[in-house]
């Protein structure tokens, strides 16, 4: 029973870290791309999606900038900016 409780706490903490990381990345991307004003929840979602897109893109291009949490921000931010530009393009149309 304790194993399940530990796994549940780990899952909750992992999701919390993902939300905080996504929020920071999404917020930074929205600062770089002016005129979006998506709000906190959408910034978090954008940051999470951008992290996935950026990680995939950097891996597909064979780019590696090192390890660690700080270096995880670079592909995540690049991905979030790309996703934000796409969303901004669709909002204009």
């Amino acid at each position: 029973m304790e194993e399940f409780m530990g796994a549940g706490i780990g899952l909750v903490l992992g999701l919390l870290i993902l939300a905080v990381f996504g929020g920071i990345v999404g917020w930074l991307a929205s600062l770089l791309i002016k005129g979006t004003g998506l709000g906190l929840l959408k910034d978090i979602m954008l940051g999470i999606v951008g992290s996935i897109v950026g990680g995939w893109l950097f891996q597909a291009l064979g780019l590696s900038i090192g390890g660690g949490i700080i270096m995880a921000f670079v592909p995540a931010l690049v991905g979030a900016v790309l996703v934000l530009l796409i969303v901004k393009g669709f909002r204009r149309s």
Side-chain angles (χ1 to χ4, degrees):
M1 185 69 167
E2 292 175 14
E3 299 158 2
F4 294 118
M5 189 147 172
I9 292 172
L11 176 65
V12 169
L13 286 176
L15 290 174
L16 183 63
I17 290 169
L18 182 65
V20 170
F21 184 80
I24 293 169
V25 169
W27 174 71
L28 287 173
S30 67
L31 287 178
L32 292 173
I33 306 300
K34 304 285 187 208
T36 55
L38 295 176
L40 179 63
L41 185 61
K42 288 183 182 175
D43 281 348
I44 291 172
M45 293 174 67
L46 167 73
I48 293 169
V49 171
S51 297
I52 294 168
V53 169
W56 174 82
L57 184 63
F58 271 53
Q59 185 178 17
L61 295 174
L63 299 174
S64 176
I65 56 172
I69 191 75
I70 300 300
M71 290 301 148
F73 270 105
V74 175
L77 186 60
V78 168
V81 166
L82 288 174
V83 169
L84 186 58
L85 287 171
I86 292 169
V87 168
K88 188 176 178 180
F90 278 116
R91 287 178 77 188
R92 276 194 189 161
S93 328

